[in-house]
Each structure stands twice: as structure tokens, then as C-alpha cells.
Amino acid sequence: MSHLPVADFATDFDHTDAAWVNDPYPIYEDLRARCPVAHSDRYGGAWLPVRHEDVTAIANDHEHFTSRNVVVNEGRPGPQAPPAPIGVAPPITSDPPFHQLARRLLLPAFSPKAINELEGYTRELCTQLLDGLGDVDHLDAAVDYAQHIPVGVIAKMLGFPPEDGDLFRGFVHIILEGVDLPFEERIASFEPLGAYFEAQIIDHQEHPRDDLTDFLLNVEMNGQRLEMRHVFGTMVLLLAAGIDTTWSAIGASIWHLARTKADRTRLVDEPELMPIAIEELLRAYAPVTMARLVKEDFDFQGHPMKKDDWVLLSFPAANRDPGVFERADEVVIDREVNRHAAFGLGVHRCVGSNLARMELRVALECFLERFPEFHLADESAVTWARGQVRGPRTLPLVVG
Amino acid sequence: MRVTIDESRCQGHGRCYSIAPGLFESDDLGNGVVLGDGIVASDQERHAHLAVANCPEGAVRIEGA
Ligand code: HEM
Ligand code: SF4
């Protein structure tokens, strides 16, 4: 279900276009010089700001933009869809002031203290994955390693059977990558996911235990338990928001290190640099682009935005803005001044950022410890995810 | 020199307390909190400046440099 190829990204951009999927950075740079807010008639009308200041302004402007849907697709939330300010998957699809309530509920489960407690489990998981590979000289770091890490950790947090990992990844794929399906097909494709979550919720109601699912079923907001559709939406969100994103960040980091011997050796020799290095890898290869819908017709810096137009909120483009970052297009592995926006800006700042950072750091530490030497087996065999989450989906390496 | 956090801007990116654990800590929600009175000892000044330079929301400030 591909769209026609894009001839000019300034007037007809499409984030599922092959050129964008393979390498979006030259496109941002070109648009920054020419626009800097691009437009497209695709998806029923969409805008793309690429400057850091415009992304910041829109992320903080709840008067003109809504998060009611954050994944650009062919449809619009219909009249029967849960309306703003709640939306389908609180808090990411919620607007203020409801947003703050839904978000606060989740924050303690993802605080630095709570996440530290999962580091041991994560390290064990990474070690097991690497041990399971046996004595190899080739591997696919995206398929054999990176993708399993966020799945294992979130399944553990939610208390879902670890062997259902492939199932979750299938669901996440539909949500994030099936964006150019016709609207009815897209909605129908969500059914198996609904059935799976319902079964997990019933199982937790019948067999209570101490995990994030139980927490969501019992936590109170304004003195009342959450409506079932709120619990459901949040569980979908945690899978959708936590898996492809972190998989992408781990994969893109390994991809960079496979191509950049100097950075790889430096991290092997100076492991204490890792916390600074992961911030730079998150800046340069920020995996997540969000979206907003325009609430009512209005003029954004001379651009006539229409009600229900999409706005792609490109944190990856903001992170490459040379007005904010020196040598913006280079990975400076020990970059100390790095006010990047990989986890978003404003009230929707990624709830899972402490978790994602921990997973990324541990995944790289374990990988480098096991394989201090590795390089790409075949540059042209690397494939990248299409849509709003970007990272390698096949990453063949020669290791050792 | 003294550091402050503008609570109305802080969104809990956690960069301040990772970079300068001697000056900031996390509250239960992950938002940054200034430790004690926020007075910066001279050996912490570099960390204070880095916290300012890395807060994505511009919430960390330095007074009386
Ligand atoms: C490297 C990995 C990740 C990246 C780059 C990332 C990025 C983002 C971004 C940019 C947003 C802002 C959304 C917006 O402005 O509309 C966001 C929101 C969110 N993320 Fe992440 N994320 C990652 C991993 C995770 C993980 C592991 C989880 C949890 C399991 C998670 C849960 C969430 C949630 C719940 C929100 C919604 C917050 C709100 O609307 O208040 N993310 N993420
Ligand atoms: S870095 Fe800024 S936004 Fe993040 S916790 Fe510290 S003050 Fe808050």
C-alpha cells in the first residue's frame, strides 16, 4: 500500500517515502534552508516544521494543537472516537488539563528509583540473549538482539507472559507502520490486539499480582478507579510507546558504532563515557517523531493551517538544527552540552525516558563487553523502519 | 552562586540530577529538585553550568554567578 514517490518534500512530503525512510537528515536540512515549514496534501493535509524553535513552540501550544491523534494516517478521529481531552490512549492522546492527571498516575512507576530496580533484570536479559547466540561470527543486531530487550522488560513490568513477545511486536507493527492502510482496514487490524489485552486484564482480575497491570486496574484518579477504556488505552500505549522506540534507539546506536571504529574503541576503553554517549546517540538518531492535529483554522507564521491538518512534530529534525547544536550533523560522542529533544518537549515528555535510557545503556554495555569488535556485514542490507519511529529493522554484523 | 529549578517549566527529563547529583535529585515523579539551599561549592560550578546547558526545558537557572 505504498504512496506515489515524492518529487519535492517542501510541497508534497511523505514520511513513508523510500528516500525519507533510508535517510531523512538531508531532507530536514534542505527544508530548513528552503521553508522551514513544509506542507503536503497527503494524509488529508499535513505540515512539517524542521526548526528547533518551531517544534518547541508547537509542542507547548495547546491552544491551537491537540494530541487527540499522534500518529499521522489517512483517517481522522471520528465523532464516535473518545474526544479530547481524553483520547484513545491517555496520556499521549490527552490534552491539558486532563492530560496531567493521566500522566501523574504513571510517573511513579517510571521514576529513576523504580527503574533502577529493573537494571539487574535487564542486564540478565541482555546477557542471556548474547549467550543464546552461541559462538557466532555473524548476527543481526536488530533481530537477534535489540528487539527482544524492550519487549522482555515491558512484559515483565506489565506481568504478561514473556513468550508472547512476538505477538506484541506484531501489534506494535500494525499501530506504527500500517499508517497508509485505508482507514477501515487500519481499524479492523486492531481487533486481535483488543482481544489479547482483554484476556490479560481478565487474567489479572482473577489472579491479582504485584505488577503494572494490577496497578492500573486499582489506581484511583479523582477518587475513582480508571474506566476500563483508560486502562486498556494506557496498556496499549505502554507497548506501542516502549517497544519500537527503544528497539530503534539500541539498533541505531549499534549501527553507528559498527560504522565508527573510533567511537566504538573509545567506549570500550572508557566505559564511564557511556551516559554522555547515549545522550549524543539519542540526539543524532532520535527515533521518535510525533504528530498533532490543528484544532481550528489559524495562521502559524504565515502558514494557513486548517482544522484537522496534521503537524509532524519532528524531534529528530529539531535535534539536528545547527542554530542550536554545534556540528549538528556529526556524532560527537563526548558532547557535553546537549539539550536534545529525543524524548519530546513540554508536558508530554516521554514517561519512559528513564527506562529507555537504562535499557539503551545496559544493552550497549553488554554488547560491547561481549563484542568489542564488530562492523556492518553489508551496508546495503540494513533496512530502516518506516513511519514515525525510525531505527534499523535488519542490521547484519560481522562480530569478533 | 546558587542553582534553582523553575517548577513550572521542569518536565522531568532528569538531565540535571544525572549530570550534577551533588546539586539536584529526583522527586517521586522524576522531576528535578534542588538539594538543600542550592548554593554551589566552587568544585561544583562546572556541573551547575552543564545542568543549565542540558536541561531541554530551560528550567535550571543560576543566580549570582
Ligand atoms: C528511546 C526510546 C524512546 C523514545 C525516543 C521515546 C520518545 C517519546 C517522545 C518523543 C514522546 C513525546 C510524545 C509527544 O510529544 O506527543 C514520548 C511520550 C511517551 N513515551 Fe516514550 N520514548 C521512548 C521509550 C519509551 C518507553 C520505554 C516507554 C514506556 C514503556 C515510553 C512511554 C511513553 C509514554 C507513556 C509517553 C506519553 C507521555 C505523555 O503524553 O505525557 N516511551 N516518548
Ligand atoms: S533537566 Fe530540566 S526538565 Fe529535566 S528534571 Fe532537571 S530541571 Fe526538570
Side-chain angles (χ1 to χ4, degrees):
Chain A
M1 273 312 297
S2 289
H3 289 155
L4 289 173
V6 170
D8 185 352
F9 278 89
T11 53
D12 183 36
F13 71 84
D14 189 333
H15 59 302
T16 63
D17 190 78
W20 177 298
V21 172
N22 287 329
D23 190 5
Y25 306 110
I27 299 175
Y28 306 148
E29 198 182 320
D30 171 52
L31 296 178
R32 208 174 282 121
R34 283 201 290 154
C35 297
V37 180
H39 180 261
S40 180
D41 289 329
R42 299 182 187 217
Y43 305 98
W47 300 90
L48 171 66
V50 289
R51 285 192 312 192
H52 188 282
E53 60 176 285
D54 295 337
V55 172
T56 307
I58 293 170
N60 286 299
D61 181 349
H62 309 288
E63 187 190 334
H64 297 108
F65 302 95
T66 168
S67 285
R68 201 165 158 218
N69 195 328
V70 287
V71 182
V72 170
N73 66 85
E74 299 288 359
R76 293 293 185 277
Q80 71 281 38
I86 297 176
V88 264
I92 209 165
T93 56
S94 316
D95 291 329
F98 174 82
H99 166 263
Q100 190 66 12
L101 286 174
R103 176 182 168 86
R104 263 192 90 97
L105 293 179
L106 291 175
L107 287 173
F110 292 89
S111 70
K113 189 165 155 282
I115 296 308
N116 282 345
E117 287 169 18
L118 287 162
E119 180 164 339
Y121 178 81
T122 308
R123 200 170 290 278
E124 229 169 84
L125 178 71
C126 293
T127 310
Q128 265 174 21
L129 287 167
L130 293 165
D131 287 349
L133 293 171
D135 194 13
V136 284
D137 49 16
H138 278 74
L139 63 92
D140 187 322
V143 175
D144 302 331
Y145 186 61
Q147 69 169 328
H148 301 288
I149 298 162
V151 173
V153 177
I154 198 69
K156 162 112 181 140
M157 288 179 82
L158 283 167
F160 290 2
E163 60 275 14
D164 290 350
D166 285 340
L167 260 177
F168 306 164
R169 272 192 305 276
F171 298 149
V172 175
H173 183 83
I174 291 166
I175 302 174
L176 296 177
E177 298 205 36
V179 291
D180 49 0
L181 290 175
F183 192 58
E184 284 73 32
E185 250 178 76
R186 179 167 161 82
I187 293 303
S189 68
F190 288 161
E191 268 168 34
L193 176 149
Y196 181 83
F197 279 96
E198 205 178 300
Q200 292 302 327
I201 290 177
I202 292 172
D203 187 55
H204 274 79
Q205 284 167 332
E206 287 171 358
H207 312 279
R209 50 208 115 139
D210 181 20
D211 60 26
L212 193 50
T213 301
D214 259 39
F215 170 81
L216 292 173
L217 288 170
N218 292 305
V219 75
E220 293 187 353
M221 191 171 75
N222 296 334
Q224 290 192 327
R225 288 196 180 168
L226 304 181
E227 283 175 54
M228 211 36 83
R229 65 162 199 217
H230 184 160
V231 173
F232 177 86
T234 303
M235 290 169 79
V236 176
L237 170 60
L238 292 178
L239 285 191
I243 294 180
D244 273 33
T245 50
T246 313
W247 173 15
S248 297
I250 298 169
S253 302
I254 294 178
W255 173 81
H256 171 79
L257 296 176
R259 303 163 76 231
T260 323
K261 187 172 165 49
D263 289 350
R264 190 176 67 245
T265 10
R266 191 138 177 226
L267 287 178
V268 171
D269 296 343
E270 295 172 53
E272 66 284 0
L273 190 63
M274 193 59 93
I276 288 182
I278 65 165
E279 298 304 328
E280 175 64 349
L281 293 165
L282 283 164
R283 181 192 70 83
Y285 303 112
V288 178
T289 298
M290 275 292 139
R292 298 289 185 263
L293 283 166
V294 176
K295 278 188 178 170
E296 299 294 339
D297 293 6
F298 96 112
D299 183 281
F300 179 79
Q301 302 181 0
H303 304 285
M305 294 188 172
K306 298 266 173 292
K307 178 175 160 54
D308 281 348
D309 278 354
W310 296 105
V311 178
L312 265 186
L313 206 51
S314 178
F315 301 114
N319 279 355
R320 299 273 188 140
D321 187 336
V324 176
F325 300 96
E326 279 172 35
R327 298 157 73 194
D329 266 330
E330 275 172 64
V331 172
V332 180
I333 202 75
D334 56 1
R335 189 187 291 273
E336 279 203 308
V337 172
N338 191 354
R339 188 177 278 172
H340 73 78
F343 292 112
L345 289 167
V347 299
H348 288 280
R349 185 273 305 169
C350 178
V351 165
S353 62
N354 299 306
L355 174 62
R357 285 184 161 112
M358 184 276 284
E359 290 183 34
L360 176 57
R361 179 173 50 76
V362 171
L364 294 183
E365 284 167 359
C366 292
F367 197 84
L368 284 170
E369 196 182 304
R370 176 72 195 273
F371 301 117
E373 285 292 335
F374 55 93
H375 58 267
L376 294 182
D378 173 5
E379 179 99 47
S380 67
V382 178
T383 60
W384 295 85
R386 60 208 285 273
Q388 286 174 227
V389 178
R390 182 174 192 271
R393 290 296 172 263
T394 43
L395 184 53
L397 300 182
V398 177
V399 294
Chain B
M1 183 196 276
R2 191 170 158 260
V3 284
T4 62
I5 288 179
D6 178 345
E7 275 174 47
S8 68
R9 296 183 83 123
C10 171
Q11 302 291 352
H13 288 259
R15 305 279 277 125
C16 57
Y17 49 81
S18 306
I19 291 172
L23 296 172
F24 307 96
E25 66 178 346
S26 164
D27 69 7
D28 292 344
L29 302 177
N31 289 337
V33 185
V34 173
L35 283 170
D37 55 10
I39 302 288
V40 181
S42 54
D43 63 345
Q44 291 278 322
E45 283 181 9
R46 201 177 112 76
H47 286 103
H49 286 292
L50 281 176
V52 173
N54 282 284
C55 172
E57 309 288 349
V60 182
R61 309 255 165 78
I62 289 177
E63 288 168 5

